[in-house]
Amino acid sequence: MNEKIAPHIEELTRALGISRNQAQKELEILLNYRVPLDEAKRTVIRKFRSSSGSTLKNIGELSPGLSGIDIKGRIINVKQKNVNVKGKRSVIYSGVIADRTGACSFTSWDGHPLNKGDAVHLNNTLTRIWNNRLEINIGKLSSINLLPDNLIPPVEDLLEILEKKIRDIDISDLFVTSTVIILKMYHRNIKEGDREMTIIEGVIGDETGKLPFISRMMDVDIGNVIRFENASVEVFKGLPSINLDENAEVEILDPRLDGILTFESVSGVPEPTKIADILNKNGVFDAVAIGNIISVRPGSGIINRCPECNRVILKNTCRSHGVVDGIKDMRIKIIIDDGTGPLLVMLDRDISETVYGRSMHEVGEMVKRTMSHDQVVEDVKNVLIGKYIAVRGNASRTDFGMILVADSAWFPEDDLCGRIERIYEKLSLLGAKLDV
């Protein structure tokens, strides 16, 4: 037994009145699925304290942290996934269930088979937050019973999908309808079970913003204006992503229609976003932030990456692939501030060379000459700190806070007088008296 979890097993044993072996088994199952320790403990506690009976609830009444919940609804969509835990192959099912009061994501961890369109009664389930969404957990002590089909309304009566602009699509949405233009796309081969297939990934947008998408449709191209209905919204790194799967209805619109979106009207640079607004979200796709560079972080300069997964490695050792021959790369980590908050920005090699003014070769020669990576960081600080910079890219929340990975960066014309006037106006609103 792992000594790190031994105190937690003792705690569960005392709190629940179960055997050490039972507590250890239940906790390790969740930890093997990479559930965080605190969440795993709460799940075990809810599971064993739910033995007093289940409560039937509508989906619209659900909230995080419930246990012993019964739900009647219809399976809107479902995916089967094979996972390996300690060399043992297991099958889990995830998807969406709905009733007349709403829809909710679910995951069945114990191999309970489910099919799209099934009318079901879920017994003794749990609820939690996963990927910033409410989710129903169907576990080992849960059961699933099929209901007569006429007891649950059909799918089309359960889901009222409102049409939304891109900027209004949120990670809380399960399905969405919208009209967009395809801005970027590329094909990627994936393996789904024993089958190999080709999918399309890319970027869609309208006059309000842009989002990533994935599709199995092969007859679309860059510049096509499409209207999709009932597309599922997935979450990756805190960002919504549109999945044009077999459940979505997709129509390619005639480009000659009045008021149709055009590539030129959508593909421009977005308006800058206040850093405070970025920090208040779980992620922002294709954001522009402008501010002064107030810090250059350690880890800037020459780095080595794993040739397999592209992670940064130390001493030629990757945490996923062991000892590897690292590939040299360059990056700069900066913090910018616009007066509303600080934002960590990652600059890749090309952008770093441009804003710093030195190539990776020149930086490498500096390291050889000074025998120190710290000297590079100090030189980057001397060049960059205080400069007014604009960055564009995707921002996502990580264990280290919000990070924007820049796709481009530039030094805009610094309207210093205008910035001072705006600061003065803000201070005036706060009642400050200044002599200017």
Side-chain angles (χ1 to χ4, degrees):
M1 179 177 62
N2 189 331
E3 291 183 359
K4 291 184 178 180
I5 68 170
H8 303 284
I9 292 174
E10 290 290 345
E11 181 183 348
L12 291 171
T13 301
R14 291 193 302 269
L16 301 173
I18 60 178
S19 69
R20 285 174 53 86
N21 288 340
Q22 196 171 15
Q24 180 178 344
K25 179 182 177 182
E26 296 295 334
L27 190 62
E28 286 183 342
I29 287 174
L30 294 166
L31 294 177
N32 288 335
Y33 280 108
R34 298 183 180 178
V35 177
L37 178 59
D38 289 341
E39 177 64 20
K41 286 171 61 180
R42 287 193 292 268
T43 301
V44 174
I45 291 170
R46 288 196 299 263
K47 175 178 178 178
F48 284 92
R49 285 183 175 170
S50 64
S51 58
S52 58
S54 298
T55 303
L56 182 64
K57 281 187 174 288
N58 293 323
I59 290 176
E61 300 174 317
L62 298 180
S63 60
L66 299 178
S67 61
I69 301 300
D70 281 15
I71 297 162
K72 293 181 180 180
R74 189 176 294 278
I75 303 299
I76 304 301
N77 61 42
V78 63
K79 292 180 181 179
Q80 177 181 323
K81 183 178 180 181
N82 296 318
V83 295
N84 287 300
V85 181
K86 286 189 173 181
K88 183 180 178 182
R89 193 171 185 178
S90 301
V91 178
I92 64 173
Y93 296 86
S94 61
V96 175
I97 183 172
D99 64 12
R100 289 187 181 277
T101 67
C104 186
S105 301
F106 71 83
T107 297
S108 174
W109 293 94
D110 207 46
H112 296 291
L114 291 164
N115 298 294
K116 177 185 174 183
D118 284 348
V120 296
H121 180 179
L122 308 181
N123 175 260
N124 197 26
T125 66
L126 311 171
T127 61
R128 66 168 183 167
I129 295 294
W130 179 251
N131 276 338
N132 302 294
R133 283 179 171 171
L134 182 67
E135 182 184 76
I136 300 166
N137 262 285
I138 307 167
K140 189 174 182 180
L141 296 182
S142 306
S143 61
I144 301 175
N145 299 307
L146 292 177
L147 298 174
D149 197 66
N150 59 359
L151 289 184
I152 306 294
V155 171
E156 54 269 22
D157 292 344
L158 291 175
L159 295 179
E160 181 183 358
I161 311 300
L162 300 177
E163 183 161 0
K164 288 190 171 186
K165 293 291 186 181
I166 289 292
R167 70 181 172 198
D168 299 322
I169 298 174
D170 190 71
I171 58 175
S172 61
D173 293 313
L174 294 174
F175 301 95
V176 72
T177 294
S178 190
T179 300
V180 299
I181 187 169
I182 298 175
L183 299 172
K184 298 178 182 178
M185 59 173 279
Y186 57 90
H187 295 79
R188 185 163 69 91
N189 294 323
I190 63 170
K191 193 168 185 179
E192 203 168 75
D194 296 328
R195 293 187 308 147
E196 287 193 0
M197 60 186 302
T198 301
I199 61 171
I200 290 174
E201 293 181 342
V203 177
I204 54 176
D206 63 14
E207 68 276 15
T208 68
K210 304 175 184 69
L211 280 178
F213 80 98
I214 182 172
S215 174
R216 285 170 168 76
M217 290 179 58
M218 294 295 112
D219 56 348
V220 294
D221 202 353
I222 294 175
N224 283 158
V225 178
I226 61 173
R227 174 181 169 80
F228 56 80
E229 297 182 1
N230 302 346
S232 60
V233 181
E234 299 183 348
V235 180
F236 180 68
K237 291 186 176 180
L239 294 169
S241 175
I242 307 301
N243 187 2
L244 304 178
D245 56 17
E246 63 276 6
N247 300 304
E249 298 179 18
V250 182
E251 177 188 4
I252 299 177
L253 302 182
D254 189 335
R256 296 169 294 182
L257 292 174
D258 290 339
I260 199 86
L261 294 169
T262 64
F263 195 90
E264 291 75 17
S265 66
V266 172
S267 59
V269 177
E271 289 295 316
T273 302
K274 291 181 180 178
I275 290 178
D277 293 337
I278 296 175
L279 297 176
N280 286 332
K281 296 184 178 181
N282 289 299
V284 183
F285 188 81
D286 194 29
V288 171
I290 303 178
N292 290 95
I293 300 174
I294 63 171
S295 177
V296 174
R297 306 304 297 158
S300 299
I302 300 295
I303 57 173
N304 287 287
R305 294 189 182 276
C306 172
E308 298 292 331
C309 63
N310 207 41
R311 285 192 178 99
V312 176
I313 60 175
L314 296 174
K315 298 180 179 179
N316 285 332
T317 301
C318 173
R319 62 184 180 183
S320 296
H321 299 97
V323 178
V324 295
D325 292 327
I327 298 175
K328 286 195 178 298
D329 196 6
M330 178 179 172
R331 72 176 180 188
I332 294 178
K333 300 160 64 176
I334 60 174
I335 294 179
I336 66 172
D337 196 313
D338 65 352
T340 69
L343 178 65
L344 177 60
V345 180
M346 303 287 288
L347 308 178
D348 65 15
R349 174 183 173 180
D350 290 340
I351 301 174
S352 295
E353 290 179 332
T354 300
V355 300
Y356 178 34
R358 296 184 187 273
S359 68
M360 187 172 79
H361 175 73
E362 291 174 314
V363 174
E365 291 299 312
M366 184 189 302
V367 172
K368 290 179 182 179
R369 187 171 62 254
T370 62
M371 302 294 289
S372 172
H373 287 276
D374 294 339
Q375 184 61 42
V376 173
V377 176
E378 289 303 313
D379 191 61
V380 175
K381 288 180 180 179
N382 292 334
V383 172
L384 293 183
I385 284 183
K387 285 194 173 181
Y388 191 56
I389 193 171
V391 292
R392 179 182 182 182
N394 301 332
S396 58
R397 192 169 300 283
T398 71
D399 293 338
F400 306 101
M402 184 68 78
I403 298 178
L404 186 145
V405 179
D407 295 320
S408 59
W410 63 97
F411 296 115
E413 292 185 8
D414 189 356
D415 181 13
L416 186 57
C417 292
R419 292 169 64 198
I420 292 174
E421 288 178 3
R422 288 191 291 272
I423 293 172
Y424 178 74
E425 288 174 2
K426 291 179 182 179
L427 292 173
S428 297
L429 292 175
L430 296 174
K433 295 181 179 180
L434 299 176
D435 294 326
V436 179

